[in-house]
Amino acid sequence: MSQAIALELRSVSKHFGTQRAVHRVSLSVNRGEFFGLLGPSGCGKTTTLRLIAGFDAPTGGQVLLNGEAVDHLPPYRRNVNTVFQSYALFPHLTVEKNIYFGLEQQAQRLAKSERRARVRDILSVVQLVGKESRYPHQLSGGERQRVALARALVLQPDLLLLDEPLSALDPQLRKQMRRELKEIQRSVGIAFLFITHDAEEALSMSDRMALMNEGVLEQVGAPRELYEAPNSRFTAEFLGEVNWLGRIGVRPEHTRVTKGDPGFDVRSLDATVESATFLGSRTHVYAKFADGQECTAEIESLACEFAPGDQVRIWWRRAHELPVTLNT
Ligand code: ATP
């Protein structure tokens, strides 16, 4: 019977002496899902990936792939592939040979014609048709990344692990590759679990995501859920800026500023404008309250009529208050 769940971690831990690199992590990744594992440096993302791939053994808990415990299986016996941060392409092999490499290890299982067909298909998925004979140094960063993906995907794993897949690319290309990665994942239908410390990356690419902090999972859910309904101050602040108004959290895009009366149906506080930063279509207005606390209101540039020293009301709707407070 085919499983709806590609990966399940049941209370998985990895302790190095007293260091709890990963502590009682439970989560599941569905078939065909794009799952982001996000967290700051040192929170345990890489260790989690290594436990799934089988490079390390957990000190507690269980790893299941397609419903079967795999803890006793070495990496090459798990139907999981990893795309490393460095891509680890063979510099002396062409694009086609790089992709072929993994399949050659399965030569006994797959007929030559089948191997050829698979390489041809995956070259088309990652849009490298016509570049088969190039060597890695003759490719752009984005193309090298796609070769690394193709090399892992051609093996048709149940789950693909990606270690900071976009970190080697320049910022412009990173944004473009987010969409390309999503499209590639959708067309192959294989579950992807990618790790990143970049919140925007996780929010923009994940179907569901998990936020890790000091070895434990803070929250798991859809990106919108974590952003709009964080269950801790850590999650709220890791996923975006938060203004603590009184003791209540409100995102800058929901924080409004006015010189006049904001009306009776909203909450508001007196403040003084400190500065305004023009960002193109949006402007950030920085304001200070009497108690010294500061806040940022993100408004449309066209609506910005504020200068330093202006006495204003900062206001927001109750519906936009985050369900956490400064002390959560
Ligand atoms: P980064 O984003 O910087 O790669 P990470 O979230 O991937 O960080 P891990 O590499 O999983 O974090 O490390 C988690 C914690 O476990 C860190 O405190 C790290 O120092 C510790 N750790 C990792 N590997 C070992 C090891 N082999 N021995 C001892 N401690 C380790």
Side-chain angles (χ1 to χ4, degrees):
M1 196 184 77
S2 94
Q3 285 278 330
I5 294 176
L7 165 74
E8 190 182 349
L9 300 182
R10 286 190 189 155
S11 196
V12 168
S13 295
K14 179 71 180 177
H15 297 176
F16 297 101
T18 55
Q19 174 75 42
R20 294 170 162 193
V22 173
H23 189 60
R24 295 191 180 164
V25 164
S26 295
L27 62 83
S28 57
V29 176
N30 298 320
R31 277 185 171 276
E33 190 168 44
F34 205 116
F35 193 97
L37 184 57
L38 171 73
S41 181
C43 73
K45 305 181 293 292
T46 309
T47 305
T48 305
L49 218 66
R50 293 176 58 81
L51 295 173
I52 299 167
F55 301 129
D56 273 327
T59 39
Q62 248 186 343
V63 177
L64 295 94
L65 288 166
N66 280 331
E68 287 183 25
V70 293
D71 298 287
H72 57 292
L73 297 178
Y76 63 89
R77 298 273 313 278
R78 302 181 183 199
N79 200 13
V80 169
N81 277 94
T82 309
V83 175
F84 295 100
Q85 213 167 2
S86 59
Y87 309 151
L89 299 178
F90 299 113
H92 59 288
L93 296 183
T94 62
V95 166
E96 189 169 26
K97 293 260 168 59
N98 260 287
I99 299 173
Y100 231 99
F101 182 82
L103 282 180
E104 308 239 301
Q105 319 297 307
Q106 305 191 343
Q108 291 98 339
R109 284 212 288 120
L110 289 176
K112 196 164 188 178
S113 58
E114 165 75 0
R115 280 182 271 152
R116 287 235 161 110
R118 278 213 203 171
V119 172
R120 207 178 46 236
D121 288 350
I122 204 70
L123 275 166
S124 137
V125 168
V126 299
Q127 296 182 13
L128 283 171
V129 175
K131 296 185 175 158
E132 300 88 335
S133 310
R134 297 222 192 148
Y135 288 88
H137 74 272
Q138 297 170 315
L139 299 171
S140 71
E143 287 166 343
R144 278 201 285 273
Q145 146 88 276
R146 283 186 268 145
V147 177
L149 268 174
R151 197 177 54 175
L153 290 171
V154 78
L155 300 169
Q156 302 183 347
D158 294 320
L159 174 69
L160 187 69
L161 304 173
L162 301 110
D163 181 5
E164 302 264 359
L166 306 180
S167 64
L169 307 174
D170 66 61
Q172 206 59 37
L173 192 56
R174 281 176 89 132
K175 291 210 167 151
Q176 185 191 324
M177 279 306 291
R178 283 182 196 167
R179 290 175 52 195
E180 286 188 17
L181 251 186
K182 280 289 279 186
E183 274 165 32
I184 291 169
Q185 190 266 344
R186 230 175 266 140
S187 65
V188 293
I190 289 171
F192 276 26
L193 187 152
F194 79 106
I195 64 174
T196 179
H197 60 266
D198 183 325
E200 195 181 288
E201 209 163 277
L203 289 170
S204 63
M205 292 201 292
S206 311
D207 294 320
R208 282 189 314 134
M209 59 188 279
L211 178 61
M212 258 187 121
N213 181 24
E214 295 183 355
V216 300
L217 284 190
E218 282 277 333
Q219 196 168 347
V220 183
R224 250 199 131 92
E225 205 176 319
L226 268 68
Y227 186 80
E228 291 176 354
N231 60 17
S232 68
R233 182 178 171 189
F234 177 83
T235 303
E237 291 184 333
F238 199 82
L239 294 186
E241 208 181 319
V242 184
N243 292 315
W244 297 105
L245 306 170
R247 304 185 86 72
I248 286 154
V250 180
R251 299 266 181 220
E253 65 271 27
H254 291 140
T255 303
R256 303 274 184 267
V257 50
T258 176
K259 285 182 183 162
D261 181 2
F264 59 86
D265 205 19
V266 299
R267 296 191 171 193
S268 65
L269 291 168
D270 282 320
T272 307
V273 172
E274 292 272 296
S275 61
T277 303
F278 175 70
L279 299 166
S281 65
R282 319 287 292 167
T283 290
H284 279 178
V285 178
Y286 301 100
K288 203 174 206 167
F289 302 110
D291 65 1
Q293 279 268 18
E294 293 192 19
C295 81
T296 308
E298 185 180 310
I299 63 171
E300 277 185 39
S301 293
L302 289 172
C304 186
E305 37 155 10
F306 304 101
D310 283 352
Q311 297 301 306
V312 291
R313 279 308 267 185
I314 293 293
W315 64 275
W316 65 97
R317 296 183 195 287
R318 292 196 64 171
H320 289 143
E321 290 178 357
L322 296 175
V324 286
T325 66
L326 202 48
N327 301 321
T328 315

